[in-house]
Amino acid sequence: MSNLDRRPPARELGGLADTPAGPVLDLLPGKEVLLGESTRVRRLLPTLGRRLVGAWAFVDHYGPDDIASSPGMQVPPHPHTGLQTVSWLLEGEVHHRDSLGSDAVIRPGELALMTAGHGIAHSEQSPAAHPRFLHGAQLWVALPDAARDTAPAFAHHTELPGFASDGLTATVLMGELGGAGSPGTAHTPLVGADLDLAAGADVELPLEPDFEYALLASSGSAEVEDALLERGAMLYLGTGRRSVRMRAGEAARLLLLGGEPFEERIVMWWNFVGRSGEEIAEYAERWDAEDERFGAVVGYDGDRLPAPPLPPVPLKARGRVR
Ligand code: MN
């Protein structure tokens, strides 16, 4: 998905100054963001309270929306650099097209993993004939310096590994959890998993103490350690945990995001991740000039999204020292 904010703020992310040295329970309520004319999403990252969880740099949760009598998701061609997009659906379908020629319909339980690297453009739309409800999450992963200029790629994984125990059914989107490893290519140590908790589930999930973690309640609510995590909210768990206890009264779906704290400092603006304001400005200029860096999305009927005006103050990758 695109950040459709016409005045997107620039963010400096990364560095370890904000990473707690041990477990915490920070509730991040997120904020409602209007995308385009009708789509409302809840933005959980970045927020005022937290900017990164591992390399996870952007988290939007949307729906479930009744789109029976509307076109549903309609995101025109837009660019990305320096990141991966992870698309995850709980209900509905999304038609992905990109400048590599990829053309795929993504369904619940499948992973759409787009590595922007050097540069890519894509569009995302509900198919003309689509299911009634649309519900999902749009996630971005920041690429480390060694991989951020890599060739762009798109992978559609229709089968994902997982495991089941104590009322929990886990599906691994990225990284590894409970011995199940995702086929998705990751460039830093991280994990993303869908946790489906049955009514009455009481489960202790093993974690990696070197990782920081957050849980997003995509449907239902759950007790996580001593905190109540309600639908649409995110709970940041900090680092240093060997496990986390989750209890669900009613059935619930949680999204687990985690990873090694991301040490590099990055600049994120609109749909770009770079290392300096100059870089970001160049990406925007090249996108608006229809430069070959991003290519063209074939088969999309309509105009591409222009880059919003750059912020008046130059973007700066300010040194945040650990
Ligand atoms: Mn996008």
Side-chain angles (χ1 to χ4, degrees):
M1 210 188 271
S2 170
N3 185 349
L4 294 179
D5 192 337
R6 294 307 300 161
R7 298 274 171 193
R11 312 270 191 179
E12 299 159 40
L13 316 172
L16 298 182
D18 294 338
T19 307
V24 296
L25 289 173
D26 286 345
L27 204 53
L28 307 174
K31 68 167 187 173
E32 288 243 320
V33 177
L34 191 62
L35 295 187
E37 287 171 10
S38 57
T39 307
R40 276 176 196 284
V41 304
R42 285 165 297 283
R43 179 149 306 154
L44 285 316
L45 276 186
T47 64
L48 288 178
R50 185 137 301 276
R51 296 177 164 193
L52 288 170
V53 177
W56 298 97
F58 182 94
V59 177
D60 270 356
H61 172 225
Y62 55 90
D65 292 321
D66 185 342
I67 57 168
S69 56
S70 87
M73 182 186 290
Q74 296 296 327
V75 184
H78 61 277
H80 288 288
T81 57
L83 56 82
Q84 292 176 295
T85 65
V86 174
S87 303
W88 179 247
L89 284 173
L90 287 88
E91 291 180 88
E93 294 178 353
V94 171
H95 188 175
H96 165 99
R97 289 186 176 100
D98 65 40
S99 50
L100 302 173
S102 314
D103 186 317
V105 175
I106 317 303
R107 298 187 171 83
E110 301 176 351
L111 170 68
L113 176 61
M114 187 178 79
T115 302
H118 183 71
I120 198 168
H122 72 146
S123 63
E124 294 155 291
Q125 297 174 280
S126 297
H130 51 252
R132 177 173 175 186
F133 290 103
L134 181 62
H135 183 197
Q138 178 63 35
L139 315 163
W140 295 354
V141 176
L143 290 172
D145 205 45
R148 71 189 185 99
D149 203 36
T150 192
F154 175 77
H156 181 195
H157 299 286
T158 56
E159 300 283 334
L160 294 174
F163 59 91
S165 72
D166 301 330
L168 164 69
T169 304
T171 304
V172 182
L173 285 61
M174 292 289 282
E176 197 235 292
L177 185 71
S182 165
T185 301
H187 296 270
T188 52
L190 57 77
V191 67
D194 179 87
L195 309 177
D196 192 337
L197 296 169
D202 184 344
V203 61
E204 191 91 23
L205 184 71
L207 298 180
E208 185 64 52
D210 291 342
F211 281 18
E212 56 180 341
Y213 290 95
L215 283 163
L216 161 66
S218 41
S219 83
S221 61
E223 271 181 64
V224 179
E225 300 294 343
D226 297 328
L228 176 63
L229 178 58
E230 294 189 280
R231 199 191 82 83
M234 188 179 238
L235 186 67
Y236 178 70
L237 301 173
T239 61
R241 291 180 187 273
R242 297 196 175 276
S243 67
V244 63
R245 186 179 180 192
M246 298 172 294
R247 284 166 292 176
E250 305 295 323
R253 292 280 289 276
L254 309 183
L255 195 56
L256 174 74
L257 302 174
E260 266 183 18
F262 195 81
E263 292 193 47
E264 292 176 35
R265 288 183 288 268
I266 63 178
V267 175
M268 188 160 96
W269 177 80
W270 194 39
N271 295 309
F272 302 129
V273 169
R275 293 298 184 274
S276 70
E278 290 75 17
E279 259 185 15
I280 297 280
E282 190 193 329
Y283 299 154
E285 205 170 284
R286 287 186 180 233
W287 170 249
D288 283 344
E290 304 193 18
D291 188 87
E292 63 184 13
R293 179 179 194 118
F294 299 103
V297 179
V298 178
Y300 179 85
D301 184 18
D303 294 335
R304 58 217 286 289
L305 279 181
L310 284 162
V313 178
L315 304 168
K316 213 163 68 174
R318 204 156 34 215
R320 192 186 302 165
V321 184
R322 32 186 313 198

